[in-house]
């Protein structure tokens, strides 16, 4: 993110988001693998066979997910694609690259691949004239590392994502890698919602799992600065999370229909050596200047062009602790009676430094939330209940869309900025020491931000 001067344009919401990918998915994981406990209920190997599997809990977890994935797609595929779902002809393969018994894989794993080449990977493959085509293969040690860091939901996500590629293998792939990968994320989200609703016989997902799942996507994103057109691009953190939540919220039909050539991807390359060297982050003092310039610019235009009202800029202040007008000891505050009478938006200086460590736009996202409460106050809307916070997070997504679309004169987007918004919401959004009386999960907060980013004010409960 950086300060800039740009021509003014009409306020507009960003269209549908997407991410890129291929059916062969590679990952890098840093951490120490640890075995998880056996699932409380497991499908037996005779019901669903995984070649090379052991009594490892990760294999049991994967088998459970695959069994429920088979059930879900046998039920869903006819409604969405108008035909029966053909079971995977090549089956499933589990490998520990550090402990391989060649006799277990006489023709290799998926599409004849050498099992030693599966390290830190999971993939679906289908190809004519090769053994074990139309199959899913995974490194169980890799899935164990995911589980040790983000819980048992992450291995299930990997299985659901690869099964999404199997669906694509039956109906056709999008034109680009990034669209292919994010559509598979979307399809995984649709299955996850089905499980979260209690329909899975073996797999389970609860509220805490959903927050962990989104945190795990940070590990699976492309490096910041990767171009969306690169051959093996999988997508930014924001793009992948957005695609997953789209499937979770709107189902498999949305995944079928929304990944065409007009889908918008936020992943982008650095445009200068300086931006690359800084990781796209403005210095901290410049970030505070961007806050002071871009938030009133956005809201002045939003009120004039969309909300048919006049905006009065509230006072914006960095403080050493909560201001006297704050109803509680929190880091981000809006006081209707503070400042010079137009309201006070305050942020704790120490907290601002911690949020900035995630990236400059993480801090911007945080401060934009109480600033959005100030805007709601001027529209005679509530500022101190859950509905107000939901709206403020959504409005912050709307503001972020204008930054992304270069609609503001005082700021430009950098690669990774929107990823930092997701990080902030998952790290701090439901922390009662940051925002008062939060009753929303990280998953819900990211979904609200995404709605504002995609749809603008119409999704944000401000009378539009």
């Amino acid at each position: 993110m950086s300060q800039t001067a740009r021509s003014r344009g009409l306020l507009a919401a960003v269209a549908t988001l997407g991410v890129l990918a291929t059916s062969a998915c590679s990952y890098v994981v840093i951490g120490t693998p640890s075995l998880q406990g056996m699932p409380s209920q497991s499908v037996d190997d005779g019901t669903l066979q995984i070649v090379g599997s052991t009594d490892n809990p990760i294999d049991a977890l994967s088998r459970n997910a695959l069994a429920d994935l088979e059930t879900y797609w046998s039920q869903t595929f006819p409604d969405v694609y108008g035909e029966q779902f053909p079971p995977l002809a090549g089956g499933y393969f589990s490998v520990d690259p550090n402990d391989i018994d060649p006799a277990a894989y006489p023709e290799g794993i998926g599409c004849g691949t050498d099992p030693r080449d599966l390290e830190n990977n999971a993939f679906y493959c289908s190809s004519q004239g090769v053994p074990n085509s139309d199959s899913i293969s995974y490194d169980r040690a890799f899935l164990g590392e995911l589980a040790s860091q983000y819980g048992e939901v992450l291995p299930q996500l990997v299985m659901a994502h690869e099964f999404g590629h199997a669906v694509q293998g039956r109906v056709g792939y999008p034109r680009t890698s990034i669209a292919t990968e994010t559509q598979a994320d979307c399809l995984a989200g649709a299955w996850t919602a089905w499980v979260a609703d209690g329909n899975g016989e073996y797999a389970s997902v609860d509220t805490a799992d959903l927050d962990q799942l989104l945190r795990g996507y940070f590990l699976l994103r492309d490096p910041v600065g990767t171009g969306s057109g690169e051959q093996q691009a999988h997508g930014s953190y924001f793009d992948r999370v957005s695609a997953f939540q789209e499937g979770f919220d709107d189902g498999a039909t949305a995944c079928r229909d929304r990944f065409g050539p007009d889908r918008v991807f936020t992943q982008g390359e650095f445009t200068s050596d300086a931006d690359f060297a800084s990781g796209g982050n403005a210095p901290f003092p410049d970030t505070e200047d961007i806050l002071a310039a871009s938030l009133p610019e956005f809201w002045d235009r939003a009120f004039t062009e969309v909300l048919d009202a006049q905006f009065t800029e509230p006072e914006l202040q960095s403080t050493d602790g909560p201001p006297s007008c704050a109803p509680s000891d929190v880091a981000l505050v809006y006081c209707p009676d503070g400042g010079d009478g137009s309201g006070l938006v305050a942020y704790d200086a120490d907290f601002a430094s911690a949020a900035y460590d995630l990236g400059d736009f993480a801090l911007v996202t945080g401060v934009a939330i109480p600033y959005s409460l100030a805007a709601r106050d001027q529209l005679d809307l509530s500022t101190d209940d859950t509905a107000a916070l939901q709206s403020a997070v959504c409005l912050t997504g709307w503001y972020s869309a204008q930054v992304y679309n270069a609609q503001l004169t005082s700021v430009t987007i950098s690669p990774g900025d929107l990823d930092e918004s997701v990080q902030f919401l998952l790290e701090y959004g439901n922390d009662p020491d940051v925002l008062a009386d939060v009753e929303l999960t990280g998953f819900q907060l990211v979904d609200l931000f995404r709605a504002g980013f995609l749809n603008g004010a119409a999704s944000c409960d401000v009378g539009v």
Side-chain angles (χ1 to χ4, degrees), residues 323-364:
S324 58
C325 61
S328 58
D329 186 4
V330 293
L332 298 173
V333 174
Y334 169 63
C335 294
D337 300 324
D340 57 4
S342 58
L344 171 67
V345 176
Y347 59 94
D348 179 79
D350 289 339
F351 172 77
S353 179
Y356 177 81
D357 287 343
L358 295 176
D360 56 1
F361 210 73
L363 174 58
V364 171

Side-chain angles (χ1 to χ4, degrees), residues 36 91 127 192 216 302 336 353 360:
Q36 309 299 297
S127 182
T192 303
S353 179
D360 56 1

Side-chain angles (χ1 to χ4, degrees), residues 210-211 214-215 237 241 421-430 442-443 445-446:
L210 291 174
D211 283 9
L214 293 194
R215 291 186 180 97
Y237 190 24
V241 163
S421 296
V422 177
Q423 288 179 270
F424 175 86
L425 292 168
L426 290 172
E427 182 72 20
Y428 294 115
N430 58 1
F443 190 92
L445 291 167
V446 173

Side-chain angles (χ1 to χ4, degrees), residues 236-386:
S236 70
Y237 190 24
F238 179 77
D239 287 341
R240 299 200 70 173
V241 163
S242 180
F244 178 88
Q245 289 194 317
E246 193 167 350
F248 190 95
D249 291 345
D250 299 334
T253 301
C255 306
R256 179 196 66 193
D257 295 341
R258 299 177 186 173
F259 287 81
D262 59 343
R263 188 171 177 86
V264 176
F265 301 97
T266 67
Q267 178 161 294
E269 299 177 79
F270 291 113
T271 58
S272 69
D273 291 342
D275 210 24
F276 175 79
S278 69
N281 288 312
F284 185 84
D286 290 357
T287 302
E288 292 189 297
D289 291 342
I290 288 168
L291 283 167
S294 67
L295 287 168
E297 179 191 358
F298 166 73
W299 280 110
D300 182 66
R301 293 183 57 204
F303 268 53
T304 301
E305 299 175 20
V306 179
L307 301 170
D308 193 26
Q310 187 69 36
F311 181 68
T312 302
E313 182 179 340
E315 182 178 346
L316 179 63
Q317 186 179 106
S318 173
T319 62
D320 295 322
S324 58
C325 61
S328 58
D329 186 4
V330 293
L332 298 173
V333 174
Y334 169 63
C335 294
D337 300 324
D340 57 4
S342 58
L344 171 67
V345 176
Y347 59 94
D348 179 79
D350 289 339
F351 172 77
S353 179
Y356 177 81
D357 287 343
L358 295 176
D360 56 1
F361 210 73
L363 174 58
V364 171
T365 300
V367 176
I369 294 173
Y371 210 99
S372 296
L373 293 175
R376 283 182 55 85
D377 192 23
Q378 294 185 33
L379 294 169
D380 294 324
L381 299 170
S382 66
T383 63
D384 58 357
D385 55 15
T386 299

Side-chain angles (χ1 to χ4, degrees), residues 28-382:
V28 176
V29 182
I30 300 173
T32 302
S34 63
L35 294 179
Q36 309 299 297
M38 291 294 290
S40 58
Q41 184 177 1
S42 298
V43 61
D44 62 83
D45 188 53
T47 302
L48 190 148
Q49 184 179 10
I50 301 177
V51 175
S53 65
T54 66
D55 58 0
N56 185 304
I58 295 299
D59 280 327
L61 189 67
S62 300
R63 186 179 290 109
N64 283 355
L66 289 167
D68 280 343
L69 281 159
E70 288 184 348
T71 300
Y72 172 76
W73 283 112
S74 68
Q75 295 173 359
T76 304
F77 197 86
D79 293 335
V80 177
Y81 295 105
E83 57 188 87
Q84 296 301 309
F85 181 79
L88 274 65
Y92 310 108
F93 296 86
S94 170
V95 175
D96 181 346
N98 297 313
D99 185 18
I100 293 175
D101 177 8
Y105 314 99
E107 294 185 298
I109 54 174
C111 293
T113 302
D114 188 323
R116 293 170 295 185
D117 295 335
L118 188 60
E119 187 172 5
N120 285 349
N121 204 351
F123 67 85
Y124 165 82
C125 77
S126 179
S127 182
Q128 293 183 349
V130 297
N132 305 324
S133 177
D134 190 30
S135 64
I136 291 173
S137 305
Y138 62 89
D139 173 357
R140 62 177 172 267
F142 155 66
L143 295 190
E145 294 182 24
L146 286 180
S148 71
Q149 294 182 72
Y150 296 102
E152 294 181 351
V153 70
L154 256 292
Q156 295 180 79
L157 171 64
V158 171
M159 293 297 103
H161 176 92
E162 300 308 330
F163 218 98
H165 287 313
V167 171
Q168 292 169 329
R170 284 149 174 76
V171 299
Y173 294 89
R175 295 180 181 179
T176 64
S177 172
I178 193 166
T180 300
E181 288 300 330
T182 46
Q183 186 185 55
D185 291 329
C186 183
L187 295 168
W191 173 78
T192 303
W194 179 81
V195 173
D197 286 341
N199 296 305
E201 184 176 358
Y202 303 104
S204 62
V205 176
D206 61 23
T207 300
D209 288 334
L210 291 174
D211 283 9
Q212 284 292 82
L213 186 152
L214 293 194
R215 291 186 180 97
Y217 258 116
F218 183 75
L219 189 72
L220 308 179
R221 69 173 179 168
D222 283 335
V224 174
T226 301
S228 61
E230 292 195 15
Q231 187 175 3
Q232 294 294 322
H234 281 54
S236 70
Y237 190 24
F238 179 77
D239 287 341
R240 299 200 70 173
V241 163
S242 180
F244 178 88
Q245 289 194 317
E246 193 167 350
F248 190 95
D249 291 345
D250 299 334
T253 301
C255 306
R256 179 196 66 193
D257 295 341
R258 299 177 186 173
F259 287 81
D262 59 343
R263 188 171 177 86
V264 176
F265 301 97
T266 67
Q267 178 161 294
E269 299 177 79
F270 291 113
T271 58
S272 69
D273 291 342
D275 210 24
F276 175 79
S278 69
N281 288 312
F284 185 84
D286 290 357
T287 302
E288 292 189 297
D289 291 342
I290 288 168
L291 283 167
S294 67
L295 287 168
E297 179 191 358
F298 166 73
W299 280 110
D300 182 66
R301 293 183 57 204
F303 268 53
T304 301
E305 299 175 20
V306 179
L307 301 170
D308 193 26
Q310 187 69 36
F311 181 68
T312 302
E313 182 179 340
E315 182 178 346
L316 179 63
Q317 186 179 106
S318 173
T319 62
D320 295 322
S324 58
C325 61
S328 58
D329 186 4
V330 293
L332 298 173
V333 174
Y334 169 63
C335 294
D337 300 324
D340 57 4
S342 58
L344 171 67
V345 176
Y347 59 94
D348 179 79
D350 289 339
F351 172 77
S353 179
Y356 177 81
D357 287 343
L358 295 176
D360 56 1
F361 210 73
L363 174 58
V364 171
T365 300
V367 176
I369 294 173
Y371 210 99
S372 296
L373 293 175
R376 283 182 55 85
D377 192 23
Q378 294 185 33
L379 294 169
D380 294 324
L381 299 170
S382 66

